[in-house]
Amino acid sequence: MVSESLLEVAKNFHGHVCPYLVLGLRASEIAFGRLGISRVGVAETIKEDIVAIVESNNCFADGVQVFTHCTLGNNSLIYLDVGKTALTVFRRGERRGVRVYVLSEKVRELLPPEVGELWRRVVAERRGSREDAERLHEAFEKLGREMLNLPEDFFKISEVEIVEELERAPIFESVRCESCGELVMKPRAVYVNGKAYCPACAGVPVQAVVGRGISTVKVPFREVR
Ligand SMILES: [Zn+2]
Ligand SMILES: [Zn+2]
């Protein structure tokens, strides 16, 4: 069972409690349990020994990061733009891992109809009032606490074979952009007439994780001089 105190940590990180945040915590707990991992500490996070893979960028991914300590920043979280709510955990160097997929239709049945209605108004249609959002959060907190020990049959749990070795984060040298003077990772630099520029100054599109997943975007800001 996921502890109430960890839910508090997750709430502080994510900003609110919601069912998918708790599902991320609970799915992580199930995966760690199956793999016999008790906790991920200093050494594992620095060496990227344990890897967590999520398949979409939703609230679930934050629950995963809080529980597993595999995060975007320590390069132990891999975001696969597959579009499913699922978590896979494995140890580097081992051929087997565990994948936990959320049975969302079954989870949805836990949602009282009036909460579903409120969710549609506030989240899906973005037209609820501030009070609606707060009422929704109250309902979500209550539901979230009830889900800390959600039975395993709300998930599809499978053993997976690791068929592709994912590289650890490489260390890149930096080069200086001729235009803004900032350092940029060498593989991101754009060379024009033999001079290095950052993608922002070169005006070339970059890959970004945005609400809809991984997309190609232009750098959406410009320094005010
Ligand atoms: Zn959320
Ligand atoms: Zn630049």
Side-chain angles (χ1 to χ4, degrees):
M1 167 165 177
V2 177
S3 68
E4 298 250 350
S5 60
L6 193 63
L7 181 62
E8 272 311 300
V9 177
K11 181 185 175 180
N12 282 334
F13 179 69
H14 185 60
H16 61 257
V17 174
C18 63
Y20 276 78
L21 178 71
V22 179
L23 287 166
L25 295 170
R26 182 73 180 116
S28 304
E29 184 188 38
I30 292 169
F32 271 26
R34 295 281 167 117
L35 292 169
I37 302 169
S38 52
R39 76 181 266 286
V40 173
V42 173
E44 292 85 356
T45 52
I46 290 178
K47 289 160 58 199
E48 304 166 18
D49 281 343
I50 309 265
V51 179
I53 301 176
V54 291
E55 299 177 23
S56 63
N57 55 333
N58 54 15
C59 301
F60 180 84
D62 277 357
V64 167
Q65 291 185 83
V66 168
F67 191 100
T68 64
H69 294 170
C70 296
T71 69
L72 181 70
N74 69 22
N75 295 123
S76 294
L77 181 80
I78 306 241
Y79 164 50
L80 285 190
D81 202 359
V82 169
K84 296 183 192 175
T85 302
L87 162 70
T88 299
V89 178
F90 66 95
R91 283 190 186 86
R92 282 197 188 273
E94 286 186 10
R95 307 280 303 164
R96 301 279 164 171
V98 171
R99 181 169 180 269
V100 182
Y101 164 82
V102 176
L103 297 172
S104 294
E105 290 133 315
K106 201 168 169 184
V107 171
R108 210 166 296 152
E109 289 168 16
L110 298 174
L111 215 65
E114 66 279 10
V115 179
E117 182 48 46
L118 204 51
W119 179 86
R120 252 185 303 285
R121 197 158 63 236
V122 176
V123 182
E125 298 165 6
R126 300 184 200 278
R127 56 185 187 85
S129 63
R130 198 184 169 89
E131 288 72 48
D132 286 339
E134 273 161 19
R135 271 203 303 139
L136 178 65
H137 187 248
E138 260 170 51
F140 271 2
E141 275 214 286
K142 183 167 173 287
L143 195 62
R145 278 178 215 289
E146 289 164 7
M147 287 168 61
L148 290 173
N149 201 20
L150 196 66
E152 293 196 353
D153 58 8
F154 281 85
F155 303 90
K156 180 185 143 200
I157 305 166
S158 35
E159 190 183 14
V160 293
E161 186 187 354
I162 307 305
V163 290
E164 196 72 49
E165 178 74 26
L166 291 165
E167 64 169 357
R168 283 181 161 80
I171 309 292
F172 294 118
E173 61 174 295
S174 297
V175 294
R176 195 172 299 283
C177 170
E178 283 286 336
S179 177
C180 67
E182 293 181 2
L183 294 177
V184 56
M185 266 161 56
K186 204 169 181 185
R188 294 291 174 276
V190 180
Y191 288 88
V192 182
N193 298 329
K195 289 181 172 169
Y197 295 91
C198 71
C201 291
V204 300
V206 291
Q207 298 293 106
V209 178
V210 294
R212 64 173 63 244
I214 295 173
S215 309
T216 304
V217 301
K218 280 193 79 173
V219 176
F221 51 81
R222 191 164 40 200
E223 214 170 307
V224 180
R225 291 172 204 262

